[in-house]
Amino acid sequence: MRHTLYITHYVTTGEAMIVDPDLFESMRLELRRGSLVLAVLARLREERYGYTLRQALASDGLEMEESTLYPLLRRLESQGLLTSEWREEEKRRKRFYRLSPMGEAMLAALADEWRGISASLDKIL
């Protein structure tokens, strides 16, 4: 299931104000960026290669292009949050990723932070 919210207008003092679609898209992507890092870390508690990671995220409603996923995986690995290993599976070489011990600690810390922010936003919204 994929959830996408598009805001077309809101009403204030009886007048409709149109939301700039380009500005909305820019802010939507900004909001999504940090969420994707948390989702990738959480999904990599179990070892996966890129394609199965994309499938798992998509089945959770977080579709991600390869051009976004693979640079993110390389960055998280260079930061020490992931480990990877090349293996042959189904007659193809695939790179498998998994959280490192530091990645597990980072996931726990970020998940706590996320829950705090989410609780605050629930109160505000």
Side-chain angles (χ1 to χ4, degrees):
M1 179 185 309
R2 182 177 164 184
H3 300 283
T4 305
L5 172 66
Y6 293 99
I7 300 172
T8 57
H9 71 275
Y10 70 94
V11 178
T12 177
T13 64
E15 295 179 26
M17 297 188 72
I18 304 300
V19 172
D20 179 330
D22 293 333
L23 178 59
F24 171 75
E25 185 63 15
S26 172
M27 292 186 150
R28 185 184 75 81
L29 290 174
E30 187 177 333
L31 182 63
R32 186 176 152 87
R33 230 174 254 122
S35 305
L36 292 177
V37 170
L38 185 57
V40 166
L41 291 175
R43 276 294 180 185
L44 288 175
R45 289 179 285 204
E46 295 178 16
E47 184 179 71
R48 297 176 185 274
Y49 65 96
Y51 179 74
T52 59
L53 176 59
R54 278 187 68 214
Q55 285 181 316
L57 292 168
S59 73
D60 293 330
L62 292 171
E63 293 186 20
M64 186 184 309
E65 298 295 324
E66 286 182 14
S67 61
T68 300
L69 177 62
Y70 290 105
L72 175 59
L73 290 171
R74 286 191 294 274
R75 180 171 58 87
L76 294 173
E77 186 174 23
S78 73
Q79 293 169 332
L81 302 176
L82 302 179
T83 60
S84 70
E85 176 184 346
W86 284 100
R87 288 201 306 264
E88 190 169 315
E89 184 179 279
E90 301 169 1
K91 299 182 182 182
R92 292 186 57 217
R93 284 180 42 87
K94 298 176 182 178
R95 192 170 191 166
F96 287 81
Y97 296 89
R98 184 175 185 88
L99 282 182
S100 68
M102 189 164 70
E104 290 177 17
M106 182 64 74
L107 173 58
L110 289 175
D112 285 345
E113 182 68 14
W114 175 265
R115 287 181 190 101
I117 291 169
S118 181
S120 296
L121 285 172
D122 283 342
K123 289 177 189 175
I124 295 168
L125 296 173

